[in-house]
Each structure stands twice: as C-alpha cells, then as structure tokens.
Amino acid sequence: MIRQAELRPDGGAIVWQDETITYGELDRVTNRLAAMFRESGCQPGDRIGIAIVKSPAAIICMIAALKADCVYVPIDTESPASRIRKIIESCRPVWIMTDAKGAKRVDDSLMNVAIDNTIQIQIGSVGALPVVGNRLNTLFCFSELENYPDIAIPGTRQPDDAAHILFTSGSTGTPKGVVITHQNVTSFVDWGVNYFGIDETDRVSGHAPLHFDLSTFDIYGTFAAGAELHPVEPEMNLLPQKLAQFIRERQLTQWFSVPSILNYLMKFDVVDDGDFPSLKRLMWCGEVLPVPTLIYFMQKLPLVEFTNLYGPTEATIASSYYTMPACPASETETTPIGVACDGEELSIRNERLETVAPGEIGDLFIGGVGLSPGYWEDLEKTASVFFPGPGGLDTQNRIYKTGDLARLREDGQIEFLGRADTQIKSRGYRIELGEIETALVSLPYLDESAIVAIDTDGFENKVICCAYVVQPELNVSPARIRADLLQLIPQYMLPADWLTFDMLPKNANGKIHRPRLRELFSLKRNPDASKKVKALD
Ligand code: AMP
C-alpha cells in the first residue's frame, strides 16, 4: 500500500458509499494514526482491538496498527458482550478502537471488569467520556489526527512477527485466537495477485466480515495490486437484488465470497444471462459450493473465471486452488479443492501421520508458508493440531491437522470429503458445535441437551438443531432458550430447529446417540415424515 501511495497517490484505494479514499489519503491518515498509537506508548507487539462495523475507518485502524508495529484484533460487533469479553480478556488490547455500535458492545462486555491499560477510543465524533473504572473512554475523530505527522514512522516489524489475531469458534466455549504473521499474509497475497493477475485496473469486492480471513485477501490483495477495494455493507447480505446491483453498478472485476452467498443469489435468481459484464473472476472459499449453484453461475457468466479456494484460518486465507476448466457436465460431478498454492504443502495422512496412497481417504494436513505460529497464548491447543512435520522436530517444518478428510484423485487434484469432527460451516460461518453445547450447559433449566447439524438444500449449507430435556414443571420454550443463548453466542450459532425429549437417546456406551438425533431432525424437517417422528418420540 505504501508503494501504491508513491506510485498512484490519487488512485482510488477504498470506495465506500459515495466516497473514494485515495492511496495518498489512506497512507497519510494511517501514518498519523500510527504516530498517535506510538506517542500514546504502544509498544511493538501490543494488541489493538478493532470493534468497528465494516467501513474505511475499520480498515484505517487495521493498517495504522500494523504501521505502529502492533497486532490488530478484529472484534465482531455482532457478537454478544460475553463473547467479546472473552476475546478482550484473552488478548488484553492496549487500545480498542470502536464506532458507536462497537463502543456499546465493548462497554457491555467490560461492565464491572477491570482490564488494565485498555483505552477505548470511539471514532466518528468529538468529545470526552468519563473514565469508566480504570479504563479511559475517549471520543475521537480522524480530523484530530492533524496534529500528528503524516510521514511514515520507522518500524521494527519482521516478517515472522504477528500482524493480527483472528478469533474463531472454540469447541470448549472459548474462542481460539489464531495468530497470523506478516509473512503468512504476504506469501498468500503475492501468490494470489500473481495467479489471478490482479492489477490497478481491478475493482475488488470486500464481501467478507473483517474478522474473517477472506477479508485479509480482499484488503491486502487489492492494495498490493493498486486496485480499488469496494467493501460490501453487511446489511446487503440479506438483499440479493441489491447485492447483484452492487456488482453491476460498481463494475466489479473480482468477486470473492463464501458459497452461501452465491447460493442465495441463485435462490432468488438475480443474475441475468451475460450479467456483470466487467466481472473477470469469481472465487469462493470456506465451504463446498453446490454444483447446481456453480452450473447456474457458469452458464449465466460464460466469460468469468471460476476458482475454488480452500483453506482454514490457521493456514491463512487459502492453501489450495482449483480453477474450473469448464462448466460441470452434470450436477453429480464434484469440484476438487485442487492443488497447493505456491509455498504451501497439502498432504493426506493416516493416524500414524504416514502419507496414504492416492485414492485413500485420510486426514488433510497443511504445511508451508501460510501456517500460523499457533493459537494465542495456548500452547496446549497449538500442540494438539500443529505437529512437527515428518523429518524431525524442526519448528519451521510443521504441519497443521485441518480436521478435514480428503483423498488424492488420479488426476492429482485433492478432493474434500467433509469433516472428521463436529466443526461445521453454516451460512459461511465456522462453528464448533461444542461452543453451542457449552453455552447450553450453562442454562440452569436444561437437564440434558445436544447439538447436531444436518445438511440442507437451502443456502445455509447446514441447519443447527438442538435436542433438549427440560424440567417439566418449568415449561421452557425454544424461544426462551434462544433468547438466553443469544447472551452467550453469536446469532449465527443459534439453533434453527428444536426437539424436546423426556430423555435424550443414548447408544450402547451410554453416550448421546447423535446419528439417531440427526435422523430424527431430518425426519422432522421432511413434512411427509412428521407423523413417523411423532411415533418415534
Ligand atoms: P475457516 O477457518 O473459517 O476458513 O474454515 C476452514 C474450514 O472450512 C476448512 O477446514 C474446511 O472444513 C472448510 N473449507 C474451507 N474452504 C473450503 C472449500 N473450498 N471447500 C470445502 N470446505 C472448505
């Protein structure tokens, strides 16, 4: 981005609503904010939380944090206060940049909690709020930065230093912080910009939320190429017509999103034949794109290049790719996740970590340049999935167990075959079912509960289903449970289907019989089978 500010200071970097921020402006404001961070005592490696709805302000804070040699932590402003609190307690930011919505959430989350040195800054208005507890709560706006120099401050950051921490669902109920280094990001960005041929003429979508790692490529891929980033307002996700109109009117040349959004656009049939004439490439990542959806888009947009990107947050944005050579001939074809991106290594292994033969199903491991150093301050969790690679204990030679199952096809492409655990993707969100179960356990009126996910034809990919046993005299409804859960987990984790039992079904070992629960929910969701379900209950 700094290079682009020199090369094309007047070129558009971020286009947001009716406003364009040029590379020159972006460079100057981020230099000033970085200087302010430094002057306020921020040390290299200090964390800066960013609880701001997707906007240029949020992106400015992220870049300024990096320029000040700090580590930024995007905080989802839609998360319940209790979850935000866990994130703040874990990463102990020295600053939390907020907008009005983020400020409210952060305030609620820190109610009566003493976290030393956390300064909360609210962007967009001027004034001063009283000190709350031992936190300084300040209102601040970008124009106040005029007093700081707009030239770059000298930095000490090294490629292996952390750049940001992305918190993702944790099976024990506490979000896991995935540490991502500068090198992790630049390796993928270099590959991506080169492979896709992104340049200064491109207009790139910014669809993913900023706490998702797809947004990392949107932002830094765009800035590395000197292109224009067009962040998509989150509200648009529920308005397929508007989303399609956005791609059309902004003349986007690149669209990158999770498949659920593409399913949604297809469901409402908002794409015309030969639509989006400027669009050159469409990429998806994060979950399987159903083949009927792919066929819909490939038939409507014959001039667009379609690429499946695969990878977990722990290996930074994506680790493998597959560009469609042609439109699938039938809906039964599967789309592989392809081959490793430059500098990445994908391997399929058995439980002894030996590589399995081509065609055999095994656990998918990733090694190489995208691999995160691990989870923030959690050596145990890190050691449970990041292993010394084959060939010794060299810390550079590590492999990450993705939890995905895969096999190598005869044509050398890797095929994704689902998960080996209870992590799911629903509407593109990564969810550990254990995180929902942990929240359920804390509800005092439930005697037993379990969460299962079942496949759906709808755009959400998986439906989260809750089976529960409630003390009979309490007469608790799913609406009450939902409301209570919403205080503990984000809305996207809320179960969409419910079944109440006198006792949950158990298997021979006395464990909850999850396959049976999945079967019951599938029957329930099929109206023709509802009578059968009553009999089974
Ligand atoms: P996240 O950390 O949110 O990116 O989620 C990573 C997980 O999403 C992977 O381990 C896979 O289970 C799934 N995933 C990511 N990309 C794809 C893809 N292209 N096809 C199928 N599943 C994917």
Side-chain angles (χ1 to χ4, degrees), residues 303-342:
L303 300 179
V304 174
E305 187 178 81
F306 290 79
T307 303
N308 181 13
L309 288 165
Y310 158 87
T313 307
E314 286 83 343
T316 315
I317 310 166
S319 307
S320 74
Y321 67 103
Y322 182 78
T323 295
M324 298 300 299
C327 186
S330 96
E331 294 191 355
T332 54
E333 268 183 36
T334 50
T335 311
I337 54 170
V339 294
C341 306
D342 285 355

Coordinates of all heavy atoms in Angstrom, one line a residue, residues 303-342:
L303 N -18.1 -15.7 -19.5 CA -16.7 -15.1 -19.7 C -15.9 -15.0 -18.4 O -14.8 -14.6 -18.4 CB -16.9 -13.7 -20.3 CG -17.6 -13.7 -21.7 CD1 -17.7 -12.3 -22.2 CD2 -16.8 -14.6 -22.7
V304 N -16.5 -15.4 -17.3 CA -15.9 -15.3 -16.0 C -15.1 -16.5 -15.6 O -15.5 -17.7 -16.0 CB -17.0 -15.0 -14.9 CG1 -16.3 -15.0 -13.5 CG2 -17.7 -13.7 -15.2
E305 N -13.9 -16.3 -14.9 CA -13.1 -17.5 -14.5 C -13.6 -17.8 -13.1 O -13.7 -16.9 -12.2 CB -11.7 -17.0 -14.5 CG -10.7 -18.1 -14.2 CD -9.3 -17.5 -14.3 OE1 -8.8 -16.9 -13.3 OE2 -8.6 -17.6 -15.3
F306 N -13.8 -19.1 -12.8 CA -14.3 -19.5 -11.5 C -13.2 -20.3 -10.8 O -12.7 -21.3 -11.3 CB -15.5 -20.4 -11.7 CG -16.7 -19.7 -12.2 CD1 -16.9 -19.3 -13.5 CD2 -17.7 -19.3 -11.3 CE1 -17.9 -18.6 -13.9 CE2 -18.8 -18.5 -11.7 CZ -18.9 -18.2 -13.0
T307 N -12.9 -19.9 -9.5 CA -11.9 -20.6 -8.8 C -12.4 -21.0 -7.4 O -12.9 -20.1 -6.6 CB -10.6 -19.8 -8.7 OG1 -10.2 -19.5 -10.0 CG2 -9.5 -20.5 -8.0
N308 N -12.2 -22.3 -7.0 CA -12.4 -22.8 -5.7 C -11.2 -22.6 -4.9 O -10.1 -23.2 -5.2 CB -12.8 -24.2 -5.8 CG -13.2 -24.9 -4.5 OD1 -13.4 -24.2 -3.5 ND2 -13.3 -26.2 -4.4
L309 N -11.2 -21.9 -3.8 CA -10.1 -21.7 -2.9 C -10.4 -22.5 -1.6 O -11.5 -22.4 -1.1 CB -9.8 -20.3 -2.6 CG -9.2 -19.5 -3.8 CD1 -9.3 -18.0 -3.5 CD2 -7.7 -19.8 -4.0
Y310 N -9.4 -23.2 -1.1 CA -9.7 -24.0 0.1 C -8.6 -23.6 1.1 O -7.4 -23.5 0.8 CB -9.6 -25.5 -0.2 CG -9.3 -26.3 1.1 CD1 -10.3 -26.7 1.9 CD2 -8.0 -26.6 1.4 CE1 -10.1 -27.4 3.1 CE2 -7.7 -27.2 2.6 CZ -8.7 -27.7 3.4 OH -8.5 -28.3 4.6
G311 N -9.0 -23.5 2.4 CA -8.0 -23.4 3.4 C -8.7 -22.9 4.7 O -9.6 -22.2 4.7
P312 N -8.1 -23.3 5.9 CA -8.5 -22.8 7.2 C -7.8 -21.6 7.6 O -6.7 -21.3 7.1 CB -8.1 -24.0 8.1 CG -7.0 -24.6 7.4 CD -7.1 -24.4 6.0
T313 N -8.4 -20.9 8.5 CA -7.7 -19.6 9.0 C -6.3 -19.9 9.5 O -5.4 -19.1 9.3 CB -8.6 -19.1 10.3 OG1 -9.9 -19.0 9.8 CG2 -8.1 -17.8 10.8
E314 N -6.1 -21.1 10.1 CA -4.8 -21.5 10.7 C -3.7 -21.6 9.6 O -2.5 -21.6 9.9 CB -4.9 -22.8 11.4 CG -5.6 -22.8 12.7 CD -7.1 -22.9 12.6 OE1 -7.7 -22.7 11.5 OE2 -7.8 -23.2 13.6
A315 N -4.1 -21.6 8.3 CA -3.1 -21.7 7.3 C -3.2 -20.4 6.4 O -2.7 -20.4 5.3 CB -3.2 -23.0 6.5
T316 N -3.9 -19.4 6.8 CA -4.0 -18.1 6.2 C -4.7 -18.1 4.8 O -4.1 -18.5 3.8 CB -2.6 -17.4 6.0 OG1 -1.9 -17.6 7.3 CG2 -2.7 -16.0 5.8
I317 N -5.9 -17.6 4.9 CA -6.8 -17.4 3.7 C -7.1 -18.6 2.9 O -8.2 -19.2 3.0 CB -6.2 -16.3 2.8 CG1 -5.8 -15.0 3.6 CG2 -7.2 -15.9 1.7 CD1 -5.0 -14.0 2.9
A318 N -6.1 -19.1 2.1 CA -6.3 -20.4 1.4 C -5.0 -21.0 1.1 O -4.0 -20.4 1.0 CB -7.0 -20.0 0.1
S319 N -5.1 -22.4 1.0 CA -3.9 -23.1 0.8 C -3.9 -23.9 -0.5 O -2.8 -24.4 -1.0 CB -3.7 -24.2 1.9 OG -3.8 -23.5 3.2
S320 N -5.1 -24.1 -1.1 CA -5.1 -24.8 -2.4 C -6.1 -24.1 -3.3 O -7.0 -23.3 -2.8 CB -5.4 -26.2 -2.2 OG -6.8 -26.4 -1.9
Y321 N -6.1 -24.4 -4.6 CA -7.0 -23.8 -5.5 C -7.3 -24.7 -6.7 O -6.5 -25.6 -7.0 CB -6.3 -22.5 -6.1 CG -5.1 -22.8 -7.0 CD1 -5.2 -22.7 -8.3 CD2 -3.9 -23.2 -6.4 CE1 -4.0 -23.0 -9.1 CE2 -2.8 -23.5 -7.1 CZ -2.9 -23.4 -8.5 OH -1.8 -23.7 -9.3
Y322 N -8.5 -24.5 -7.2 CA -8.9 -25.2 -8.4 C -9.7 -24.3 -9.3 O -10.7 -23.8 -8.9 CB -9.7 -26.4 -8.0 CG -10.1 -27.3 -9.2 CD1 -9.2 -28.1 -9.8 CD2 -11.4 -27.2 -9.8 CE1 -9.6 -28.9 -10.9 CE2 -11.8 -27.9 -10.8 CZ -10.9 -28.8 -11.4 OH -11.2 -29.6 -12.5
T323 N -9.1 -24.0 -10.5 CA -9.9 -23.1 -11.4 C -10.6 -24.0 -12.4 O -10.1 -24.9 -13.0 CB -8.9 -22.2 -12.2 OG1 -8.3 -21.3 -11.2 CG2 -9.6 -21.3 -13.2
M324 N -11.9 -23.8 -12.5 CA -12.8 -24.7 -13.3 C -12.3 -24.6 -14.8 O -12.3 -23.6 -15.4 CB -14.2 -24.2 -13.2 CG -14.8 -24.2 -11.9 SD -14.9 -25.8 -11.1 CE -15.9 -26.8 -12.2
P325 N -12.0 -25.8 -15.3 CA -11.6 -25.8 -16.7 C -12.8 -25.6 -17.6 O -12.7 -25.1 -18.7 CB -11.0 -27.2 -16.9 CG -11.4 -28.0 -15.8 CD -11.9 -27.1 -14.7
A326 N -14.0 -26.1 -17.2 CA -15.2 -25.9 -17.9 C -16.4 -26.1 -17.0 O -16.2 -26.5 -15.8 CB -15.3 -27.0 -19.0
C327 N -17.6 -25.8 -17.5 CA -18.8 -25.9 -16.6 C -19.0 -27.4 -16.4 O -18.9 -28.2 -17.3 CB -19.9 -25.3 -17.4 SG -21.4 -25.3 -16.4
P328 N -19.3 -27.8 -15.1 CA -19.6 -29.2 -14.9 C -20.7 -29.7 -15.8 O -21.7 -29.1 -16.1 CB -20.0 -29.3 -13.4 CG -19.5 -28.0 -12.8 CD -19.5 -27.0 -13.9
A329 N -20.5 -31.0 -16.3 CA -21.4 -31.5 -17.3 C -22.7 -32.0 -16.6 O -23.8 -32.0 -17.1 CB -20.8 -32.7 -18.1
S330 N -22.5 -32.4 -15.3 CA -23.7 -32.8 -14.6 C -23.6 -32.4 -13.1 O -22.6 -32.1 -12.6 CB -23.9 -34.3 -14.7 OG -23.3 -35.0 -13.5
E331 N -24.8 -32.4 -12.5 CA -24.9 -32.0 -11.0 C -24.2 -33.0 -10.1 O -24.0 -32.7 -8.9 CB -26.3 -31.8 -10.6 CG -26.9 -30.6 -11.4 CD -28.3 -30.2 -10.8 OE1 -28.8 -30.9 -9.9 OE2 -28.8 -29.2 -11.4
T332 N -23.9 -34.2 -10.6 CA -23.3 -35.2 -9.8 C -21.7 -35.1 -9.7 O -21.1 -35.7 -8.9 CB -23.6 -36.6 -10.2 OG1 -23.3 -36.7 -11.6 CG2 -25.1 -36.9 -10.0
E333 N -21.2 -34.2 -10.6 CA -19.7 -34.0 -10.6 C -19.3 -33.4 -9.3 O -20.0 -32.6 -8.7 CB -19.3 -33.1 -11.7 CG -18.9 -33.9 -13.0 CD -18.4 -32.9 -14.1 OE1 -17.8 -31.9 -13.8 OE2 -18.8 -33.2 -15.2
T334 N -18.1 -33.7 -8.8 CA -17.6 -33.0 -7.6 C -16.5 -32.0 -8.1 O -15.8 -32.3 -9.0 CB -17.0 -33.9 -6.5 OG1 -16.1 -34.8 -7.2 CG2 -18.1 -34.7 -5.8
T335 N -16.4 -30.9 -7.3 CA -15.4 -29.9 -7.6 C -14.2 -30.1 -6.6 O -14.4 -30.0 -5.4 CB -15.9 -28.5 -7.4 OG1 -17.1 -28.4 -8.1 CG2 -14.9 -27.4 -7.9
P336 N -13.0 -30.5 -7.1 CA -11.9 -30.7 -6.1 C -11.5 -29.4 -5.5 O -11.8 -28.3 -6.0 CB -10.8 -31.3 -7.0 CG -11.1 -30.8 -8.4 CD -12.6 -30.6 -8.5
I337 N -10.7 -29.5 -4.4 CA -10.1 -28.3 -3.9 C -8.7 -28.0 -4.5 O -8.1 -27.1 -4.2 CB -10.0 -28.4 -2.3 CG1 -9.3 -29.6 -1.9 CG2 -11.4 -28.3 -1.7 CD1 -9.0 -29.6 -0.4
G338 N -8.4 -28.9 -5.4 CA -7.2 -28.7 -6.3 C -5.9 -29.0 -5.7 O -5.7 -30.0 -5.1
V339 N -4.9 -28.1 -6.0 CA -3.5 -28.4 -5.6 C -3.0 -27.2 -4.8 O -3.7 -26.1 -4.8 CB -2.6 -28.5 -6.9 CG1 -3.0 -29.8 -7.7 CG2 -2.7 -27.3 -7.8
A340 N -1.9 -27.4 -4.2 CA -1.4 -26.4 -3.2 C -1.0 -25.1 -3.9 O -0.4 -25.1 -5.0 CB -0.2 -26.9 -2.5
C341 N -1.3 -24.0 -3.3 CA -0.8 -22.7 -3.7 C 0.8 -22.6 -3.5 O 1.3 -23.4 -2.7 CB -1.4 -21.5 -2.9 SG -3.2 -21.5 -2.9
D342 N 1.5 -21.7 -4.2 CA 2.9 -21.7 -4.1 C 3.3 -21.6 -2.6 O 2.8 -20.8 -1.8 CB 3.5 -20.4 -4.8 CG 3.4 -20.6 -6.3 OD1 3.1 -21.7 -6.7 OD2 3.8 -19.6 -7.0

